Each structure stands twice: as C-alpha cells, then as structure tokens.
Amino acid sequence: MAALPPCDLLREWPAEWDFAKVAGNRDAATFPAPSRYLHPAFRVEARDGRGRCLVAERACSAGELVMVDAPLVVAASQVALQEDVCKRAAEDLNFRKLLFHFCGDEEDDE
C-alpha cells in the first residue's frame, strides 16, 4: 500500500477552537488551518486490504473527541461538488495529487 500523504496534525486541542459553535452551525463548520486534530492516543496506519485505519494506543472513554478534519471540498449539491472538484483538480497540483491518492491508484501519486 502507498504511504499516506503528509499532513499536519495537531495532537492537543487548541483553546481558541470552539467545538460547540462549529458543531451547531453547518455554515461555520470549519476551523482555522491547519484544522486536523487527532487524539494523542490514536495513530493512523495504512493497512493492506483495509486502507487507512485509526488505531488506539489505549482505551478511550465514551464521548472523547477522537478526530477533527477539514473537508477537502464543501458544496451545496452533488453537481456543485463535482464541478468544484474538477475545477480545483485542474488548477491546483497539490489538490490533484491528494485527490488521486484517495482514489487508490499508486501510479497517480507520481
């Protein structure tokens, strides 16, 4: 399996992020960049035949926040999503590489 694409992960929840505000308001459902949080007790692994997996290093309590990730694209409809993805893929090489990586074709990573 191909290596996971690099990304910045925060391992501590920033005090300035108001999760309750974002969770209750779909229009404001983003955090400042880099907005990838992964609980310190978890790691991401790529496993053959399974893909990306979150693996717990210890037992966690019910209700613990495990992960927050920024969406690649947000759109009001399926058609708008397809149009936005195609436009960004044509204009942004890094976005295109990340998108192809998610498709699972290792030849597209080069």
Side-chain angles (χ1 to χ4, degrees):
M1 171 166 270
L4 297 172
C7 63
D8 294 327
L9 287 173
L10 301 176
R11 301 300 272 193
E12 293 184 21
W13 188 259
E16 65 273 13
W17 288 10
D18 185 350
F19 183 75
K21 177 182 172 188
V22 172
N25 182 354
R26 183 177 181 268
D27 295 330
T30 58
F31 292 103
S35 54
R36 291 182 176 101
Y37 165 79
L38 182 62
H39 190 288
F42 286 80
R43 70 179 189 279
V44 179
E45 287 184 359
R47 294 185 177 179
D48 289 333
R50 295 194 179 254
R52 290 170 185 79
C53 302
L54 285 181
V55 179
E57 300 285 334
R58 66 164 175 81
C60 294
S61 301
E64 277 190 81
L65 182 63
V66 172
M67 186 172 93
V68 172
D69 199 357
L72 287 176
V73 179
V74 176
S77 69
Q78 180 69 29
V79 171
L81 178 68
Q82 291 168 339
E83 291 171 355
D84 289 351
V85 167
C86 289
K87 181 178 184 221
R88 283 193 61 195
E91 296 173 353
D92 183 342
L93 177 62
N94 289 329
F95 178 81
R96 185 168 55 248
K97 285 181 178 182
L98 183 61
L99 183 65
F100 286 152
H101 186 85
F102 286 127
C103 294
D105 188 346
E106 293 178 18
E107 293 179 13
D108 290 329
D109 290 340
E110 298 177 13

